[in-house]
């Protein structure tokens, strides 16, 4: 067997788990529990499709996912363009850092932000009252538990915009700046430059990040479970409820619903992304936008719309985070006051000192996250070595398979993996949770480490061999030192993803695995904002410090090894 | 057409351009010549509006455009690399500037096809840049710059990435187009030969400052400064002094014109020296074959001189020859 393929065996096992889980789910959905002959049947699909509630929830889910991912695509791409082309280095760095912070924040934390900001007793409501826009909190439009899903869309966009922005930015910064110079000398305005040059060249990464975000928004459990109205209700939340409901028929219907979610999601994504693709490819409509009207002098001190946009984006992301930190240190902020009534550590004392579950939960999270990071990095390294040596088409196919967890709606993925874990007698164990965390982190680790391996190339190894270096020596003296920043970065990504996971722990841990997220979750459902603020601040501190540490190391090392990449 | 008045530019607190002033009349092929890192590209970017000067003014047809950014000035610029938009066809690339200017489709088609014909690349219309050779790409890039019909075009070493024969061919084609279309071209290069062949005027830049400017003939045959003579590789430089209207140096006496008494440097063109075989004061110490001619280095006392010519006699290293220097040589201040 080819050495590259041998190296991929561990990863193949994980891919088989994912694929196997989906196949199992599909077969189960075709099984009639009352029919001992075990013939395949479509009865569960028929029952489901005849329910108007299913269609209402399905269209509602698709509406949320499409709107959220479109919003993320538009604002994220504009943000990336603003950062890539801004002439103000300070603003560029600040905006990029803020987007990175937005990217690493856990969804649970962002849900908490949404409650603090958008709730009827939240910051926005208080501001509206102070400005006289409303005369009572009841007049403030409901943005959470509302049927339009504003709160949920806000949460998805709060995470999705940084994701699209940073993914697009990695490509935009590699576009030769002279293309823009050429376009400018031919009279193209900024929007025209974006449409005619940047969008077509970044098309693939924009589409990919939209797809990943769409799949997440469609399949997310935490967000709809905590924030949606009772009706309509996103499919992911109703699916989980159905799955846990006692009774065999609910179980099989849940399988059918999962499959329908997959099919509807895939069909919607295909349509929506193909339209988006056509829009991104086409450059003819750039004539609709104004060419440069800058035949007149640019006044001194002129602040461009791009700069204003970046400042606004930075404020919109930093302000909520700052509010959470403030909230954790206040004695009280009774409604409708904006200013806290003094500072206090009472929430910190209550959470850290009196919550008996806090330290054990933190310890479990750290241990689980550490193991996830370690295993993901090791597997990612082995996989990356293979992928970097393959033909591009083979490498892309393998990467698509490894990335499968990113494209399957999260709740469907977790349920299907739960089925596999049940078969393997691993359900409700830490091992199941760990395996799933590795599965969802592996695509990111593989992408990071493959880029490093490709950058290093085979010439260094050949040179080392001509100098008498064995394979082990080469790994120890050359490869690992060069890849260390990437290895640490991928470890941190695995750590952070695992640390912030909730649904997988809930479902696959079965209550036997108590993590930090599991402790924060009740604080949100029971409106314990103080506890939530403390835990949110801790979440923020852990995530940002680890991320910036890894990012800083990568940036410092890339300046030393630029000639390799 | 174009005038720069005391233009200065700093980058990272370092002076890149220092008080540069010059004028380019309409229809002139004006070359900015200098070594790498002297600020030629920065100067071009200042003219295009891609950079802003710290001091000074840039006037375009009498109008001060110093604060007008590139998209407002619309001065097309051709870079070292063709920089064709990789996702657009040749046609779309050339039409780009016309689209931004709001031309209608019919007019765009006519203009693009006319340029494709002039540059002899009509068959490439629907191709994408990745399938073209370097020379083809640069032709498309030239067509794209000429398409909007702006009378002023900037070129930043557009032929430097091409092989020598293609470089000569494209250079001549650009020069022909420039004359036919009465374009004003600001052309940057570090290649002296290219500058001499193509230019109507040359501006020699050194360390961000104007060293000297003039026609190719003036800079090559009658440079005012030694640094100019050295850069242009105009000939042999000989130190001496002017006494009573004569230039005295180790090689003898020459008529002096224009330089008063005092130290001076004489410029003896390589082609201005005659060589005949026979016992003379000069000994051959090096011979270079240039194809159409030969270049010979002779030692006269302590002075070495390069001589270029298509010598009729046989020459070899170590041979002594007679040399005849011109009676009058161009002098510069030391």
């Amino acid at each position: 067997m080819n050495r590259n393929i041998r190296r991929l065996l561990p990863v193949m096992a994980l891919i088989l788990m994912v694929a196997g889980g989906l196949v199992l789910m599909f077969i189960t959905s075709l099984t009639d529990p009352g029919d001992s002959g075990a013939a395949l049947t479509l009865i569960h699909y028929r029952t489901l499709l005849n329910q108007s509630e299913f269609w209402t929830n399905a269209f509602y889910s698709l509406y949320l996912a499409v709107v959220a991912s479109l919003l993320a695509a538009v604002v994220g791409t504009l943000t990336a363009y603003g950062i890539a082309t801004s002439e103000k280095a300070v603003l560029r760095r600040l905006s990029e850092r803020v987007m990175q912070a937005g990217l690493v924040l856990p969804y649970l934390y962002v849900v908490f932000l949404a409650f603090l900001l958008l709730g009827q007793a939240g910051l926005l409501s208080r501001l509206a009252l102070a400005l006289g826009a409303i005369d009572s909190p009841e007049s403030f439009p409901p943005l959470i538990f509302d049927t339009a899903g504003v709160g949920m869309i806000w949460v998805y966009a709060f995470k999705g915009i940084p994701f699209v922005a940073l993914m697009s930015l990695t490509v935009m910064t590699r576009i030769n700046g002279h293309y823009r110079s050429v376009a400018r000398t031919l009279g193209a305005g900024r929007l025209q430059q974006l449409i005619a040059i940047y969008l077509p060249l970044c098309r693939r990464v924009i589409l990919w990040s939209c797809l990943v975000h769409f799949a997440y928004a469609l399949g997310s459990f935490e967000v709809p479970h905590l924030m949606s109205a009772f009706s309509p209700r996103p499919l992911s939340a109703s699916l989980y409820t159905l799955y846990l409901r006692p009774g065999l028929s609910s179980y099989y219907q849940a399988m059918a619903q999962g499959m329908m979610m997959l099919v509807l999601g895939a069909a919607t994504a295909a349509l929506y992304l193909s339209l988006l693709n056509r829009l991104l490819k086409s450059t003819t409509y750039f004539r609709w936008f104004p060419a440069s009207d800058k035949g007149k002098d640019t006044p001194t001190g002129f602040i461009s719309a791009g700069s204003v946009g970046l400042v606004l984006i930075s404020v919109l992301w930093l302000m909520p985070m700052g509010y959470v930190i403030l909230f954790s240190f206040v004695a009280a902020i009774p409604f409708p006051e904006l200013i806290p009534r003094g500072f206090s550590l009472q929430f910190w004392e209550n959470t850290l000192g009196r919550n008996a579950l806090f330290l054990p939960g933190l310890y479990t999270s750290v241990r689980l996250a550490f193991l996830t990071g370690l295993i993901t990095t090791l597997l990612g390294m082995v996989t990356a070595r293979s992928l970097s040596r393959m033909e591009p088409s083979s490498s892309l196919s393998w990467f698509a398979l490894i990335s499968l967890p990113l494209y399957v709606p999260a709740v469907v993925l977790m349920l299907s993996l739960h089925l596999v874990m049940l078969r393997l007698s691993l359900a409700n164990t830490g091992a199941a949770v760990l395996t799933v965390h590795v599965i969802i982190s592996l695509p990111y680790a593989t992408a990071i480490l493959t880029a490093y391996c490709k950058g290093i190339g085979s010439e260094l190894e050949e040179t080392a061999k001509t100098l008498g270096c064995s394979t082990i020596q080469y790994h120890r003296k050359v490869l690992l030192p060069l890849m260390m920043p990437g290895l640490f970065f991928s470890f941190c990504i695995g750590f952070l993803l695992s640390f912030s996971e909730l649904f997988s722990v809930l479902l696959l841990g079965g209550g036997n695995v108590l993590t930090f997220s599991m402790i924060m979750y009740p604080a949100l459902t029971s409106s314990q904002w103080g506890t939530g603020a403390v835990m949110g601040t801790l979440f923020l501190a852990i995530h940002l410090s680890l991320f910036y540490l890894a990012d800083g190391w990568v940036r410092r090392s890339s300046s030393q090894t630029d000639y390799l990449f | 057409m174009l005038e720069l008045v005391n233009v200065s530019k700093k980058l990272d607190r370092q002076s890149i351009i220092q008080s540069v002033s010059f004028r380019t009349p309409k229809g002139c092929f004006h070359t900015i010549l200098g070594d790498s890192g002297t600020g030629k590209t920065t100067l071009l970017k200042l003219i295009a509006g891609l950079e802003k000067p710290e001091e000074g003014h840039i006037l375009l047809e009498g109008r001060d455009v110093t604060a007008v950014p590139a998209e407002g000035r619309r001065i097309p610029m051709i870079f070292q690399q063709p920089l064709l938009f990789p996702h657009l066809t040749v046609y779309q690339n050339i039409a780009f500037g016309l689209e931004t200017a709001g031309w209608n489709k019919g007019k765009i088609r006519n203009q693009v096809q006319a340029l494709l014909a002039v540059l002899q690349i009509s068959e490439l219309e629907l191709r994408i840049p990745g399938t073209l050779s370097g020379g083809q790409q640069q032709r498309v890039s030239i067509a794209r710059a000429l398409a909007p019909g702006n009378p002023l075009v900037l070129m930043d070493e557009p032929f430097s990435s091409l092989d020598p024969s293609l470089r000569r061919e494209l250079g001549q084609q650009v020069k022909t187009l420039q004359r036919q279309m009465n374009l004003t071209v600001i052309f940057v290069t570090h290649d002296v030969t290219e500058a001499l062949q193509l230019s109507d005027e040359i501006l020699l830049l050194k360390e961000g400052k104007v060293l000297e400017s003039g026609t190719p003939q003036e800079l090559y045959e009658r440079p005012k400064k030694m640094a100019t003579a050295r850069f242009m590789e105009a000939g042999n430089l000989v130190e001496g002094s002017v006494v009573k209207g004569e230039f005295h140096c180790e090689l003898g006496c020459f008529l002096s014109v224009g330089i008063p008494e005092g130290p001076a440097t004489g410029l003896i063109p390589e082609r201005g020296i005659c060589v005949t075989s026979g016992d003379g004061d000069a000994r051959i110490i090096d011979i270079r074959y240039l194809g159409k001619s030969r270049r010979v280095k002779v030692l006269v006392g302590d002075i070495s001189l390069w001589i270029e010519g298509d010598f009729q006699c046989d020459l070899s290293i170590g041979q002594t020859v007679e040399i005849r220097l011109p009676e009058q040589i161009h002098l510069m201040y030391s």
Side-chain angles (χ1 to χ4, degrees):
Chain A
M1 188 189 282
N2 180 294
R3 192 165 66 157
N4 280 339
I5 303 296
R6 268 206 311 272
R7 283 202 185 116
L8 291 172
L9 285 175
V11 156
M12 277 198 249
L14 294 178
I15 297 170
L16 273 172
M17 264 191 203
V18 174
L22 292 171
V23 168
L24 208 52
M25 192 179 224
F26 178 58
I27 293 172
T28 311
S29 72
L30 295 173
T31 312
D32 184 357
D35 184 350
S36 56
L40 297 177
T41 175
L42 291 172
I43 188 167
H44 308 298
Y45 288 97
R46 274 202 288 272
T47 312
L48 193 68
L49 298 178
N50 284 333
Q51 292 172 1
S52 62
E53 191 190 347
F54 167 75
W55 288 108
T56 309
N57 290 345
F59 287 127
Y60 186 60
S61 300
L62 294 172
Y63 146 76
L64 290 175
V66 168
V67 169
S69 83
L70 250 177
L71 198 55
V74 172
V75 180
T77 307
L78 284 172
T79 306
Y81 181 61
I83 296 173
T85 57
S86 171
E87 286 166 6
K88 296 175 175 49
V90 171
L91 190 54
R92 225 175 24 239
R93 271 197 293 270
L94 171 68
S95 308
E96 201 179 338
R97 285 293 193 210
V98 169
M99 288 293 103
Q100 285 170 343
L103 182 70
V104 300
L105 294 177
Y107 265 97
L108 202 57
Y109 176 85
V110 182
V111 167
F112 180 70
L113 281 185
F115 279 116
L116 275 194
L117 293 179
L118 307 177
Q120 287 200 292
L123 180 63
L124 274 187
S125 169
R126 293 168 194 239
L127 275 171
L129 201 63
L131 292 170
I134 58 171
D135 46 24
S136 68
E138 290 77 29
S139 322
F140 188 74
L143 300 176
I144 298 182
F145 308 122
D146 63 313
T147 52
V150 171
M152 287 187 278
I153 291 172
W154 184 89
V155 169
Y156 292 136
F158 195 89
K159 286 282 293 171
I161 288 167
F163 178 64
V164 174
L166 290 172
M167 294 299 114
S168 306
L169 191 60
T170 54
V171 178
M172 282 190 188
T173 46
R174 282 185 198 145
I175 293 173
N176 191 331
H178 285 125
Y179 285 133
R180 204 169 154 243
S181 298
V182 170
R184 289 179 69 195
T185 62
L186 293 168
R190 283 198 82 179
L191 276 178
Q192 289 185 323
Q193 293 162 38
L194 169 66
I195 293 162
I197 302 167
Y198 283 81
L199 288 186
L201 294 177
C202 298
R203 182 174 53 95
R204 287 206 171 100
V205 73
I206 294 172
L207 289 172
W208 178 82
S209 49
C210 273
L211 174 63
V212 170
H213 189 242
F214 173 86
Y216 186 84
L218 183 66
S220 160
F221 168 74
E222 292 96 333
V223 177
H225 184 73
L226 291 166
M227 297 180 74
S228 80
F230 186 70
S231 176
R233 197 161 168 73
L235 280 181
S236 51
S238 66
L239 175 58
Y240 182 61
T241 311
L242 197 61
Y243 185 69
L244 293 183
R245 196 180 289 168
L248 271 180
S249 62
S250 305
Y251 173 78
Y252 287 96
Q253 272 192 28
M255 298 296 111
Q257 185 165 314
M259 284 292 108
M260 283 307 300
M261 222 176 136
L262 200 57
V263 167
L264 287 172
T268 309
L271 179 66
Y272 148 62
L273 290 175
S274 74
L275 288 171
L276 191 59
N277 184 43
R278 286 180 78 173
L279 196 70
L280 292 173
K281 259 166 79 166
S282 167
T283 56
T284 51
Y285 66 94
F286 88 108
R287 287 169 68 99
W288 304 346
F289 293 87
S292 171
D293 62 352
K294 293 188 184 130
K296 43 190 184 300
D297 290 3
T298 313
T300 321
F302 175 75
I303 300 170
S304 67
S307 296
V308 170
L310 287 181
V311 169
L312 195 63
I313 288 273
S314 303
V315 166
L316 286 175
W317 260 255
L318 286 174
M319 198 244 319
M321 293 189 245
Y323 188 65
V324 169
I325 298 170
L326 176 73
F327 201 93
S328 72
F329 287 104
V330 302
I333 316 184
F335 191 87
E337 292 171 26
L338 285 168
I339 313 292
R341 274 190 198 174
F343 292 92
S344 161
L345 292 174
Q346 63 170 350
F347 292 139
W348 288 87
E349 285 164 5
N350 288 343
T351 308
L352 302 184
R354 294 175 203 159
N355 188 333
L357 297 173
F358 177 79
L359 281 176
L362 183 62
Y363 174 67
T364 306
S365 279
V366 168
R367 212 167 43 138
L368 186 60
F370 181 85
L371 284 172
T372 303
L374 192 63
I375 296 171
T376 307
T377 304
L378 287 171
L379 275 179
M381 176 69 181
V382 169
T383 310
R385 287 279 280 157
S386 297
L387 294 189
S388 63
R389 286 160 187 231
M390 285 181 181
E391 291 295 318
S393 54
S394 305
S395 167
L396 267 172
S397 306
W398 275 104
F399 187 70
L401 278 174
I402 293 164
S403 305
L404 194 57
L406 297 181
Y407 311 133
V408 176
V411 73
V412 175
L413 177 71
M414 295 302 165
L415 290 184
S416 64
L417 287 170
H418 190 237
L419 297 178
V420 173
M421 295 303 167
L422 283 170
R423 294 284 187 288
L424 297 173
S425 306
L426 283 176
N428 306 332
T429 66
V433 176
L434 178 62
T435 307
V436 167
H437 286 190
V438 169
I439 287 172
I440 58 177
S441 312
L442 196 57
Y444 300 105
T446 307
I448 292 164
L449 296 171
T450 307
Y452 264 83
C453 284
K454 278 188 178 159
I456 291 169
S458 57
E459 289 90 359
L460 280 183
E461 190 172 0
E462 286 162 4
T463 306
K465 281 184 176 166
T466 63
L467 295 166
C469 204
S470 68
T471 307
I472 294 173
Q473 283 175 321
Y474 169 71
H475 277 78
R476 192 166 53 86
K477 293 183 178 206
V478 181
L479 190 66
L480 283 177
L482 281 174
M483 288 196 64
M484 200 50 75
L487 292 169
F488 184 63
F489 197 75
S490 98
F491 169 84
C492 288
I493 296 291
F495 184 99
L496 294 175
L497 277 172
S498 170
F499 197 90
S500 54
E501 257 295 308
L502 172 66
F503 183 53
S504 56
V505 180
L506 208 58
L507 181 67
L508 290 135
N512 294 332
V513 182
L514 189 68
T515 60
F516 198 74
S517 304
M518 295 274 283
I519 297 168
M520 188 168 175
Y521 170 63
L524 292 177
T525 53
S526 58
S527 306
Q528 293 173 36
W529 303 135
T531 304
V534 169
M535 300 195 74
T537 303
L538 285 171
F539 246 141
L540 187 69
I542 293 167
H543 278 71
L544 290 187
S545 48
L546 208 53
F547 181 82
Y548 287 140
L549 197 66
D551 186 58
W553 191 3
V554 166
R555 279 171 197 265
R556 275 194 307 275
S557 72
S558 69
S559 65
Q560 292 161 6
T561 55
D562 254 342
Y563 67 95
L564 287 175
F565 298 96
Chain B
M1 164 60 82
L2 173 73
E3 188 177 353
L4 268 68
V5 182
N6 284 331
V7 167
S8 297
K9 175 72 183 171
K10 283 184 182 163
L11 275 172
D12 296 330
R13 291 185 201 158
Q14 246 187 319
S15 266
I16 306 295
I17 300 290
Q18 296 180 57
S19 294
V20 166
S21 298
F22 67 88
R23 238 184 228 158
T24 304
K26 208 166 181 177
C28 176
F29 195 112
H30 200 162
T31 296
I32 301 173
L33 181 63
D35 281 327
S36 302
T38 51
K40 310 187 294 296
T41 300
T42 306
L43 192 57
L44 219 59
K45 284 184 171 176
L46 287 167
I47 297 169
L50 294 167
E51 303 268 4
K52 267 193 194 158
E54 258 88 35
E55 288 168 23
H57 297 274
I58 299 170
L59 293 116
L60 205 56
E61 307 228 49
R63 186 178 140 239
D64 192 336
V65 295
T66 315
V68 178
E71 40 274 49
R73 294 187 207 184
R74 290 178 175 258
I75 305 174
M77 186 162 161
I78 303 171
F79 292 80
Q80 265 184 23
Q81 301 302 324
L83 293 176
L84 301 180
F85 302 126
H87 55 293
L88 301 178
T89 62
V90 165
Y91 180 96
Q92 288 168 330
N93 264 281
I94 298 172
F96 190 89
L98 308 177
E99 302 261 7
T100 62
W103 288 30
N104 69 50
K105 286 199 162 57
K107 220 175 150 193
I108 291 175
R109 175 145 282 280
N110 291 340
Q111 179 73 339
V112 171
Q113 285 181 337
L115 281 164
L116 286 169
V118 159
L119 284 151
Q120 296 158 352
I121 48 171
S122 298
E123 71 279 11
L124 305 178
E125 188 178 333
L126 297 175
R127 300 257 296 266
I128 53 167
T131 63
L132 306 178
S133 69
Q136 288 172 330
Q137 287 190 27
Q138 201 58 295
R139 281 198 166 91
V140 175
S141 151
I142 292 166
R144 182 176 62 182
L146 297 180
N150 193 308
L152 175 62
V153 177
L154 310 175
M155 300 190 186
D156 186 6
E157 302 193 61
F159 314 127
S160 58
S161 59
L162 304 175
D163 57 56
S165 58
L166 193 54
R167 206 174 160 148
R168 275 192 299 276
E169 188 193 324
L170 260 183
Q172 287 309 316
Q173 203 166 17
V174 164
K175 182 69 181 175
T176 306
L177 273 171
Q178 181 258 330
R179 283 203 179 117
Q180 283 172 354
M181 297 168 79
N182 197 30
L183 292 172
T184 308
V185 172
I186 311 289
F187 184 88
V188 157
T189 185
H190 60 263
D191 187 322
V192 174
T193 310
E194 193 170 65
L196 291 172
Q197 284 176 351
L198 299 177
S199 317
D200 298 317
E201 289 272 327
I202 297 176
L203 182 92
L204 192 53
L205 212 59
K206 185 172 174 160
E207 290 169 4
K209 292 184 205 165
V210 176
L211 183 62
E212 203 171 327
S213 66
T215 64
Q217 201 165 12
E218 282 166 356
L219 290 188
Y220 190 79
E221 293 177 8
R222 298 181 297 278
K224 292 187 183 110
K225 296 181 183 166
M226 257 186 9
T228 305
R230 281 206 183 95
F231 187 88
M232 300 299 282
E233 294 173 1
N236 301 287
L237 296 172
V238 179
E239 304 285 337
S241 59
V242 175
V243 178
K244 292 183 183 167
E246 282 188 337
F247 175 68
H248 294 264
C249 65
E250 279 190 55
L251 294 173
C253 285
F254 302 88
L255 280 173
S256 159
V257 178
I259 300 277
E261 310 258 324
T265 304
L267 172 65
I268 307 176
E270 291 183 14
R271 284 192 162 266
I273 306 172
C274 294
V275 174
T276 47
S277 58
D279 259 346
D281 296 333
R283 187 166 59 86
I284 295 175
I285 57 173
D286 197 356
I287 301 174
R288 305 273 172 92
Y289 179 67
L290 301 178
K292 290 179 192 170
S293 61
R294 278 182 290 176
R295 215 167 158 238
V296 170
K297 192 173 184 183
V298 299
L299 196 63
V300 181
D302 290 329
I303 296 178
S304 60
L305 297 171
W306 279 103
I307 307 167
E308 189 181 331
D310 46 1
F311 309 103
Q312 301 299 321
C313 50
D314 286 335
L315 299 170
S316 58
I317 293 178
Q319 185 182 348
T320 51
V321 291
E322 273 187 37
I323 59 168
R324 200 170 71 239
L325 300 168
E327 286 177 9
Q328 187 177 347
I329 60 175
H330 177 68
L331 297 177
M332 299 161 287
Y333 286 109
S334 285

